[in-house]
Amino acid sequence: FRFKDSLAEDLQRADLVISHAGAGSCLETLEKGKPLIVVINEKLMNNHQLELAKQLHRDGHVLCSNCSTLVETLQSMDLSTLKPFPPGQPEKFALFLDKVVGFQ
């Protein structure tokens, strides 16, 4: 894709999403309940995407691959093993913030 303001329509129509492991891309896809394969770019230095991808994989929410193993991942994937991503709970964060700043 070239730059788009939003991928919401594309995500809504997708049966499977293959993406880099950027936080926004991962969370938007998982919040829509779409199966996700994250492709890690191992050539990036200080690759923060790797940490996120590994944690989401450990938690059972995504499949992980790199460019050289993507075809194998697609051929052997079992999307039924993926766990739904839990919805966000902003109220918990708000309560935490209230406590930190002394509103409680």
Side-chain angles (χ1 to χ4, degrees), residues 57-78:
H57 180 71
R58 275 192 297 268
D59 293 343
H61 301 301
V62 305
L63 299 175
C64 283
S65 178
N66 58 42
C67 291
S68 62
T69 62
L70 180 58
V71 171
E72 179 184 329
T73 300
L74 288 166
Q75 291 171 337
S76 65
M77 69 183 180
D78 180 0

Side-chain angles (χ1 to χ4, degrees), residues 9 11 13 17 19 25 27 35 61 69 73 75-76 92-93:
E9 285 182 30
L11 288 174
R13 290 192 312 262
V17 176
S19 175
S25 300
L27 293 177
H61 301 301
T69 62
T73 300
Q75 291 171 337
S76 65
K92 283 188 175 183
F93 181 69

Side-chain angles (χ1 to χ4, degrees), residues 89-104:
Q89 296 177 320
E91 63 280 354
K92 283 188 175 183
F93 181 69
L95 288 172
F96 168 75
L97 218 69
D98 285 348
K99 196 175 209 178
V100 168
V101 279
F103 292 142
Q104 281 187 335

Side-chain angles (χ1 to χ4, degrees), residues 26-78:
C26 289
L27 293 177
E28 188 174 3
T29 301
L30 292 171
E31 286 171 351
K32 296 250 188 279
K34 301 297 179 168
L36 174 61
I37 298 175
V38 291
V39 180
I40 300 161
N41 182 349
E42 296 171 328
K43 294 179 182 176
L44 291 177
M45 294 185 67
N46 301 320
N47 191 355
H48 64 281
Q49 290 186 10
L50 179 60
E51 294 174 35
L52 176 61
K54 283 185 175 185
Q55 187 61 53
L56 289 172
H57 180 71
R58 275 192 297 268
D59 293 343
H61 301 301
V62 305
L63 299 175
C64 283
S65 178
N66 58 42
C67 291
S68 62
T69 62
L70 180 58
V71 171
E72 179 184 329
T73 300
L74 288 166
Q75 291 171 337
S76 65
M77 69 183 180
D78 180 0

